[in-house]
Amino acid sequence: MYSLGFLPVVWLAVRLLPLWRIRRWWAVRLVRLPDRWLPTHLRVLPPPDSEYLGVWEVPPDEARSRLETRYGFRQQVRAYLHAYERHGTIRYEQASCAYRPNGLLGGWQLHVRLFSAAGGTAVWCHWERNPNVAPLAHLRRDGYDPDAGKQRLLELLDEPLRVADESGHAPPYPDRD
């Protein structure tokens, strides 16, 4: 039979190498490969413009920590990797987190992505079906709603966030000319 002696090693590895670091490590490597070499789920994608909310004026590490400890978000394992380029620099996601108001097996989730930005952390988000209970609906994007995600995140946070206006200025991508 199998021994459970490896569990402390796994726990230690997860504590020393948090999920967001592993995701960023993969993104940095996979973004260099041509898309034709990768299955869709391994491609590094730009975050959709419609999901951009604004800038949270705290560093990404602090934003990620606050989402997890204050607001009940959990890091995502299966979400697509995201990055975008500005001024010749690629900005990789610093966190991909979900908040499920009705628990792990609730039907819906608020999905938030964090990126390093000038003056803080750029925030993208959307409301969507929970892939734990509705994987096909999630993949089909049934119920996918960036506006509802933005509204729910702003209602959930009890701290200020510099929100983009209708034209996308706040700026639409941090440090844009």
Side-chain angles (χ1 to χ4, degrees):
M1 277 302 179
Y2 297 100
S3 166
L4 296 180
F6 69 92
L7 288 178
V9 173
V10 171
W11 179 85
L12 184 60
V14 168
R15 299 298 293 165
L16 294 176
L17 282 172
L19 180 60
W20 73 268
R21 288 185 190 275
I22 296 167
R23 288 177 59 80
R24 187 174 63 191
W25 185 89
W26 274 109
V28 168
R29 277 129 191 94
L30 292 176
V31 77
R32 297 176 185 159
L33 297 175
D35 284 346
R36 68 182 181 278
W37 291 5
L38 297 169
T40 302
H41 62 278
L42 291 179
R43 293 179 186 158
V44 179
L45 307 170
D49 290 339
S50 62
E51 294 182 11
Y52 180 67
L53 176 59
V55 175
W56 191 355
E57 295 178 351
V58 298
D61 289 344
E62 181 65 23
R64 183 179 48 259
S65 176
R66 288 182 190 182
L67 286 179
E68 292 175 340
T69 59
R70 290 187 190 174
Y71 303 108
F73 280 78
R74 298 288 173 255
Q75 290 277 349
Q76 295 300 288
V77 176
R78 297 172 291 176
Y80 287 108
L81 297 168
H82 283 72
Y84 64 91
E85 184 177 343
R86 287 295 172 264
H87 307 298
T89 300
I90 297 178
R91 297 187 183 259
Y92 297 95
E93 69 182 34
Q94 301 294 308
S96 177
C97 303
Y99 172 75
R100 298 182 179 107
N102 297 314
L104 182 64
L105 298 178
W108 296 87
Q109 69 179 17
L110 172 57
H111 189 175
V112 174
R113 294 182 193 280
L114 305 176
F115 295 82
S116 179
T121 302
V123 179
W124 273 260
C125 60
H126 59 274
W127 183 247
E128 65 185 342
R129 297 295 304 270
N130 181 348
N132 294 328
V133 295
L136 296 178
H138 178 85
L139 290 172
R140 286 190 307 260
R141 297 176 69 160
D142 293 348
Y144 166 84
D145 190 341
D147 291 332
K150 293 173 190 178
Q151 178 183 350
R152 288 174 181 271
L153 182 59
L154 290 171
E155 290 170 358
L156 186 62
L157 295 179
D158 60 359
E159 49 194 292
L161 192 103
R162 196 167 22 119
V163 178
D165 62 20
E166 287 293 320
S167 68
H169 290 92
Y173 290 106
D175 21 13
R176 183 175 177 184
D177 292 333

